[in-house]
Amino acid sequence: FDERFCRMWEFYLIAAELAFRYGDQMVFQMLLSKTADTLPIRRDYMADAEADLERKEPGAHDLAQADRRDVSSVNSRGR
């Protein structure tokens, strides 16, 4: 990789560390596609995939929920 890419990547990592350290981060998920019908408008397919995973690996969903609770409790204390 060239020097510019490395500097940008390092800046991103430093910014991410500061955001997590001080609790001022936001996470967005964007899906860009060339056509509107690439994925359904609703995201039910994600819940279906999560349910399938739970059937295959019981307890996996509980761990994800615990992680979400930990993050939300940190965010509520920080504000």
Side-chain angles (χ1 to χ4, degrees), residues 1-6:
F1 298 103
D2 65 354
E3 182 65 26
R4 181 175 183 266
F5 176 85
C6 291

Side-chain angles (χ1 to χ4, degrees), residues 26-72:
M26 272 190 208
V27 177
F28 293 95
Q29 180 181 10
M30 295 176 59
L31 176 63
L32 305 174
S33 67
K34 291 183 179 185
T35 61
D37 60 349
T38 301
L39 287 174
I41 300 272
R42 298 182 55 180
R43 298 191 306 169
D44 294 344
Y45 65 93
M46 295 170 108
D48 295 340
E50 190 172 310
D52 289 342
L53 177 64
E54 181 63 28
R55 281 192 290 279
K56 292 176 187 173
E57 297 179 34
H61 186 327
D62 297 336
L63 291 173
Q65 290 295 335
D67 288 343
R68 288 186 196 119
R69 281 193 299 272
D70 291 343
V71 168
S72 64

Side-chain angles (χ1 to χ4, degrees), residues 3-36:
E3 182 65 26
R4 181 175 183 266
F5 176 85
C6 291
R7 282 195 322 265
M8 289 173 45
W9 184 245
E10 187 174 344
F11 175 78
Y12 165 77
L13 291 175
I14 291 168
E17 178 187 356
L18 290 172
F20 280 106
R21 188 173 293 214
Y22 295 104
D24 292 337
Q25 76 277 2
M26 272 190 208
V27 177
F28 293 95
Q29 180 181 10
M30 295 176 59
L31 176 63
L32 305 174
S33 67
K34 291 183 179 185
T35 61

